[in-house]
């Protein structure tokens, strides 16, 4: 018997440092990724309701820290749209002062969940919920851009500038992919507004930009039960949403590079990065699918050097070019975010042909998850509801694959063959599948093709025995598999 080899590990940092060619590739990959990261970091800051400097510094700190403690080499983590959407209501309703404790607590939750092995629970999130999570994220990012297009003070010229930015992002990759198309769109639209003196809302209008390195800060709100009650729900949302997107991105990179990463290390590493980001005045973040694909697939990065270089490059570019960054029109960033929505949304999942092939239950799970997320503006709530609904749909479907077939043996004996997975949903009506009054004195229940999963099934089998006892018949349960025998014996107090 052959044993499949383990997936290879990613190249180490030492191997990159020892090879000038490899080191050059990793650093350049980080610089290119940083150029694609800056526009989105600013855009997500606007979504979260904080100054652009907050998102930029958050991206710097998270990328640098995760390059050291993370479990997936070459993956890019920074200020992300999913986390921005979670904390936006907190900043809007309670003020930016509550941002730091919320992100710190969210990071602590991620560290705890990482050490508890929450990464293993990812396998219990069905694909329909994953698809709904991605689609709902795209919808929320899109709705967050509407004020930049439909606001009462938005000049008409914003529309053609946004359309120009979208057109560049779509068309520029046909010319070359050496430079990120979103960066070209931002440069072109910004140049037009500066050269022709077009008066439109700019990044500088959204808040101040950094001119120096961030300082180490702290929590300014009172450390009280009231503060905990305010920030805890948002912190939990930051933790869950961040972990889901991070682990999904890690799985994607594992597939692209055919290497293996540490999901549990990535979980607690992401928590440490968020705590560090908060204390340096940043917002929360997680892995970014688009920038990770640029870093890994487009630029060919494979080590932690590229992630570190991306964070360092964002810092240098932001401080050196902060005056220029302040003049970037919001129309350019809106174009970037609209294309992020298009790239994020799983269009294949809503094609009529796909929906026609999908089971009705999975379609319902996907729709319910998206509706809950959009209605509550909370990705974590939608995912939890989606998982619960998916579990109920699965339980209902599994309950219908159980069969009980009656086979007369002789005038004194009848055999019932039970097939399927027996648990609370499928065993509740098990007692109704037998002909108690018509059967002879000896009844054999053959469990060769069945498995007992819970106490409900053991209780159902006991109920069958009791009903037959009232009719003067005896029941013999045979051919239980090892696991079913152990559970049945433990719950009934006897070892069969």
């Amino acid at each position: 018997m052959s044993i499949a080899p383990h997936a290879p590990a990613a190249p180490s940092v030492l191997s990159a440092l020892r090879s000038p060619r490899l080191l050059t590739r990793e650093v350049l990959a980080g610089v290119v990724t940083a150029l694609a990261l800056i526009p989105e970091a600013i855009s997500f800051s606007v979504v979260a309701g904080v100054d652009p400097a907050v998102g930029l510094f958050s991206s710097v700190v998270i990328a640098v820290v995760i390059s050291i403690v993370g479990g997936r080499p070459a993956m890019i983590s920074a200020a992300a749209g999913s986390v921005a959407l979670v904390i936006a209501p907190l900043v809007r309703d309670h003020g930016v002062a509550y941002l730091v404790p919320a992100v710190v607590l969210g990071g602590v939750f991620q560290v705890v969940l990482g050490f508890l092995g929450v990464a293993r629970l990812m396998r219990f999130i069905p694909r329909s919920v994953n698809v709904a999570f991605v689609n709902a994220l795209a919808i929320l990012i899109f709705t967050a851009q509407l004020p930049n297009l439909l606001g009462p003070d938005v000049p008409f010229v914003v529309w053609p500038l946004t359309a120009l930015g979208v057109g560049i992002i779509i068309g520029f990759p046909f010319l070359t992919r050496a430079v990120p198309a979103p960066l070209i769109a931002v440069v072109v639209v910004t140049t037009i507004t500066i050269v022709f003196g077009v008066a439109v809302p700019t990044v500088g209008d959204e808040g101040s930009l950094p001119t120096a390195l961030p300082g180490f800060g702290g929590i300014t709100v009172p450390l009280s039960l009231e503060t905990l009650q305010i920030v805890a729900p948002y912190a939990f949302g930051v933790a869950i949403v961040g972990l889901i997107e991070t682990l999904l991105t890690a799985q994607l990179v594992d597939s692209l590079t055919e290497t293996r990463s540490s999901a549990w290390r990535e979980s607690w590493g992401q928590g440490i990065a968020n705590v560090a980001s908060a204390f340096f005045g940043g917002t929360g973040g997680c892995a970014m699918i688009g920038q990770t694909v640029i870093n890994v697939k487009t630029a060919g990065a494979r080590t932690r050097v590229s992630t570190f270089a991306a964070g360092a490059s964002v810092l240098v570019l932001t401080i050196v070019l902060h005056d220029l960054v302040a003049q970037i029109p919001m129309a350019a960033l809106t174009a970037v975010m609209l294309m992020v929505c298009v790239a994020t949304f799983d269009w294949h999942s809503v094609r009529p042909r796909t929906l026609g092939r999908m089971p009705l239950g999975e379609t319902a799970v996907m729709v319910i998850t998206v509706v809950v997320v959009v209605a509550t503006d909370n990705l974590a709530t939608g995912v939890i509801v989606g998982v619960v609904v998916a579990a109920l749909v699965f339980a209902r479907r599994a309950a219908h694959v159980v069969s009980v077939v009656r086979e007369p043996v002789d005038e004194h004996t009848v055999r019932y063959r039970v097939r399927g997975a027996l648990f609370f949903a499928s065993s509740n009506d098990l007692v109704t599948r037998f002909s108690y009054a018509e059967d002879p004195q000896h009844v054999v229940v053959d469990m060769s093709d069945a498995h007992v999963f819970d106490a409900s099934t053991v209780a159902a089998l006991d109920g069958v025995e009791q009903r037959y006892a009232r009719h003067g018949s005896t029941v013999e349960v045979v051919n239980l598999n090892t696991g079913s025998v152990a559970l049945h014996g433990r719950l009934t107090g006897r070892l069969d």
Side-chain angles (χ1 to χ4, degrees), residues 21 47 96 106 138 204 225 227 247 254 304 325 424 427 457 479 483 487:
R21 183 181 61 83
V47 170
V96 72
L225 181 61
T227 299
L247 295 176
D254 288 350
R304 301 175 185 275
V325 171
F424 63 91
S427 60
T457 304
N479 296 329
L487 180 61

Side-chain angles (χ1 to χ4, degrees), residues 323-408:
D323 289 334
L324 183 59
V325 171
Q327 299 182 61
I328 295 176
M330 291 303 299
L333 299 184
T334 300
V336 173
M337 297 311 298
L338 290 178
M339 293 309 300
V340 168
C341 297
V342 173
T344 301
F345 197 90
D346 187 345
W347 297 100
H348 177 75
S349 66
V350 295
R351 291 177 181 173
R353 186 176 181 182
T354 302
L355 293 175
R357 291 179 175 179
M358 285 182 63
L360 182 60
E362 293 193 22
T363 302
V365 169
M366 186 170 65
V367 172
I368 290 172
T369 303
V370 171
V371 169
V372 171
V373 170
V374 174
T376 63
D377 279 340
N378 193 316
L379 289 159
T381 300
V383 170
I384 293 172
V385 171
V387 171
V388 171
V389 174
L392 294 175
V393 170
F394 171 78
R396 182 179 181 276
R397 185 183 303 164
H400 291 287
V401 299
V402 173
S403 65
V404 179
V405 179
R406 184 177 186 272
E407 300 176 350

Side-chain angles (χ1 to χ4, degrees), residues 14-393:
L14 289 178
S15 63
L17 295 177
R18 292 170 180 169
S19 170
R21 183 181 61 83
L22 182 58
L23 180 60
T24 301
R25 186 191 69 184
E26 296 294 314
V27 171
L28 290 178
V31 172
V32 171
T33 303
L35 294 175
L37 187 59
I38 290 175
E40 290 195 23
I42 297 173
S43 301
F44 291 142
S45 299
V46 176
V47 170
V50 297
D51 289 345
V54 176
L56 290 168
F57 277 154
S58 180
S59 297
V60 171
V61 175
I62 292 175
V64 170
V65 173
I66 207 68
S67 69
I68 300 171
V69 300
R72 173 65 259 181
M75 191 165 74
I76 301 298
S77 290
S82 55
V83 176
L85 290 167
V86 172
I87 63 175
L90 172 66
V91 175
R92 182 186 64 237
D93 298 337
H94 300 282
V96 72
Y98 285 89
L99 176 62
V100 172
V103 176
V104 169
L105 184 58
V108 171
F109 282 157
Q110 288 178 328
V111 172
V112 173
L113 292 172
F115 280 106
L116 290 178
V118 71
R120 292 193 295 268
L121 298 180
M122 283 294 295
R123 58 187 173 182
F124 295 107
I125 299 180
R127 182 182 181 279
S128 55
V129 176
N130 286 337
V131 171
F133 172 85
V134 171
N135 291 348
L137 172 60
I139 293 172
L140 290 182
I141 294 176
F142 174 78
T143 56
Q145 305 311 307
L146 295 181
N148 296 331
L149 296 172
L150 305 176
D153 299 326
V154 175
F156 175 78
V157 71
V158 165
W159 283 80
L161 288 175
T162 302
L164 174 62
V166 170
I168 292 173
I169 296 173
I170 294 174
F172 192 79
F174 290 100
L175 299 177
T176 178
R177 294 182 180 270
V179 182
L183 178 65
I184 299 300
V186 170
V187 170
V188 171
V189 175
T190 302
T191 301
I192 290 175
T193 58
I194 293 176
V195 171
F196 294 98
V198 182
V200 292
T202 64
V203 170
D205 298 332
E206 301 295 328
S208 60
L209 287 168
T211 58
L213 294 173
F216 187 82
I219 298 175
T220 58
V221 296
L223 296 178
S224 62
L225 181 61
E226 180 182 1
T227 299
L228 179 62
Q229 291 174 337
I230 292 174
V231 303
Y234 299 99
F236 184 73
V238 168
I240 297 301
V241 169
L243 285 181
I244 290 174
E245 187 162 356
T246 295
L247 295 176
L248 288 176
T249 305
Q251 292 177 0
L252 171 64
V253 180
D254 288 350
S255 175
L256 290 175
T257 62
E258 297 183 353
T259 59
R260 183 178 58 190
S261 60
S262 174
W264 77 271
R265 179 177 172 180
E266 189 64 41
S267 300
W268 62 259
Q270 192 66 56
I272 293 175
N274 276 325
V275 171
S277 170
F279 280 116
F280 276 98
T283 183
C286 62
M288 302 185 71
I289 296 177
Q291 280 66 29
T292 297
V293 171
I294 290 174
N295 192 50
V296 174
K297 190 173 182 179
T298 304
R302 291 295 183 271
T303 74
R304 301 175 185 275
V305 173
S306 62
T307 307
F308 182 90
S313 299
V314 170
L315 180 62
V316 172
L317 292 172
T318 299
I319 293 177
V320 173
L321 304 176
H322 68 277
D323 289 334
L324 183 59
V325 171
Q327 299 182 61
I328 295 176
M330 291 303 299
L333 299 184
T334 300
V336 173
M337 297 311 298
L338 290 178
M339 293 309 300
V340 168
C341 297
V342 173
T344 301
F345 197 90
D346 187 345
W347 297 100
H348 177 75
S349 66
V350 295
R351 291 177 181 173
R353 186 176 181 182
T354 302
L355 293 175
R357 291 179 175 179
M358 285 182 63
L360 182 60
E362 293 193 22
T363 302
V365 169
M366 186 170 65
V367 172
I368 290 172
T369 303
V370 171
V371 169
V372 171
V373 170
V374 174
T376 63
D377 279 340
N378 193 316
L379 289 159
T381 300
V383 170
I384 293 172
V385 171
V387 171
V388 171
V389 174
L392 294 175
V393 170

